[in-house]
Amino acid sequence: MTGLLRPIPYRATLRIYEPITSFNEEERSRYEKLSANPDSYLAEDRQTLIRTILGVAPKIAEDGVHIFEQNSVKYISPWKSAIRTLRAYESFKNEIPQSLLPYFVPNSLANAISAQSDLIEYTTPYALEETWMIPPRWFALFNNNERTQGAINSIPFVYYRAAIKDAIDRCRFSHNSVVNAFGNGPIEQEIENLLLWLESFHPDSIVELDYGGLAYYLEKSLLDAGERGLIDDSSVDDLQNSLAGLASGDGTQAGIGYERLIKRWRRLATIEQSM
């Protein structure tokens, strides 16, 4: 993790790292020549900003990767930036009236993106992203002892890493708890989609929740609220307690845990609105 505030400081990422042995021979040969680089996160953000500012249509091609090693195993998380851009565009396009779309995306760029949209169906992104918040379902994938927290050059960082097998088990528990408590619906569907995404990767993969630049804003928010900063961030524990309450039929426990979690992250919305 870098000691500089990210170029896109309001983005958090849920990222998959697959073992290098899971890639095909051509990809493995390329990745074996690369070493872990803490600045890869900055480089990825810069590429995204350049594409956004210049209005450049994404092209399906190899770009950068994030790398880390654990127990002598090299893990790789390809950026797949173009696929993520295409998915974001499709989501945005479906959320606004079509008559307004040209005001946000020029027709030439929209046509170039749409020409590649069929590729979304056949390529799974290695990362999911959210801005100004972290979806509660992401916290369900981790335990607090999988957390790494610190600061470099006074810039705080937080990330969790879990074996994907554990993350999948926790996601299933989360899904079952929600279905048993509330039945099928939008929240249950979001958790199921997350489970399907996790299950599409190698069973020896690592799942990472990276707060990104939100660590900086959350630290400030917690300090302003009279707390000790990120050391008082109990988001994973709060979500796990809420799920335990749902599973046992204890609505009070479920509500307390969830409200603590939402209240903490709701404060960041005030920062977004002030900008």
Side-chain angles (χ1 to χ4, degrees):
M1 298 297 164
T2 181
L4 297 173
L5 190 60
R6 301 281 182 83
I8 306 179
Y10 45 83
R11 180 172 69 183
T13 306
L14 188 66
R15 187 178 290 119
I16 302 294
Y17 289 85
E18 290 190 303
I20 191 171
T21 53
S22 68
F23 293 89
N24 63 44
E25 184 176 349
E26 180 181 352
E27 292 172 316
R28 191 163 60 246
S29 176
R30 185 165 72 91
Y31 298 152
E32 284 173 346
K33 300 173 184 176
L34 303 177
S35 300
N37 177 11
D39 288 335
S40 64
Y41 304 93
L42 291 174
E44 182 186 22
D45 276 6
R46 290 192 186 105
Q47 175 178 285
T48 300
L49 282 177
I50 290 171
R51 177 182 291 137
T52 301
I53 293 171
L54 297 181
V56 178
K59 296 181 179 179
I60 307 301
E62 290 292 345
D63 47 13
V65 298
H66 301 303
I67 300 174
F68 85 94
E69 294 191 26
Q70 178 175 284
N71 299 326
S72 299
V73 177
K74 181 181 283 189
Y75 291 89
I76 309 293
S77 181
W79 296 353
K80 301 290 185 184
S81 304
I83 293 299
R84 286 151 57 193
T85 301
L86 291 171
R87 287 177 177 269
Y89 171 75
E90 289 295 323
S91 176
F92 176 72
K93 184 174 69 174
N94 294 331
E95 292 174 357
I96 67 170
Q98 293 304 293
S99 59
L100 297 180
L101 189 61
Y103 292 98
F104 295 94
V105 182
N107 286 330
S108 58
L109 178 57
N111 292 336
I113 293 175
S114 296
Q116 305 179 78
S117 60
D118 60 323
L119 296 171
I120 296 176
E121 183 179 351
Y122 304 106
T123 306
T124 301
Y126 279 74
L128 305 178
E129 298 166 335
E130 288 286 350
T131 56
W132 290 114
M133 55 93 71
I134 294 177
R137 60 187 178 277
W138 289 9
F139 290 117
L141 307 182
F142 303 93
N143 279 337
N144 214 39
N145 60 7
E146 294 162 340
R147 175 183 174 108
T148 298
Q149 173 186 327
I152 303 175
N153 298 328
S154 299
I155 301 297
F157 65 84
V158 176
Y159 64 87
Y160 292 82
R161 284 178 182 160
I164 199 168
K165 294 177 182 178
D166 293 334
I168 287 173
D169 286 344
R170 294 163 185 162
C171 194
R172 287 175 178 155
F173 174 76
S174 176
H175 184 262
N176 291 338
S177 299
V178 169
V179 170
N180 290 337
F182 305 114
N184 296 325
I187 296 177
E188 167 271 327
Q189 187 61 59
E190 289 177 341
I191 300 173
E192 183 176 348
N193 290 342
L194 178 60
L195 179 60
L196 293 173
W197 180 70
L198 292 170
E199 290 176 334
S200 68
F201 294 99
H202 191 279
D204 292 329
S205 297
I206 301 293
V207 185
E208 176 185 85
L209 171 55
D210 176 11
Y211 278 32
L214 289 185
Y216 171 84
Y217 289 113
L218 184 60
E219 169 97 338
K220 182 180 184 304
S221 173
L222 290 169
L223 290 172
D224 289 346
E227 300 186 64
R228 295 174 297 167
L230 286 170
I231 193 172
D232 285 335
D233 170 31
S234 58
S235 297
V236 164
D237 284 343
D238 291 338
L239 196 281
Q240 296 291 359
N241 286 335
S242 179
L243 289 173
L246 288 181
S248 65
D250 187 337
T252 299
Q253 178 183 347
I256 290 174
Y258 191 76
E259 179 58 28
R260 279 175 53 86
L261 173 68
I262 295 303
K263 181 179 179 181
R264 181 179 304 111
W265 287 93
R266 190 182 292 136
R267 296 191 192 117
L268 266 67
T270 62
I271 300 177
E272 178 187 10
Q273 293 165 5
S274 68
M275 292 186 169

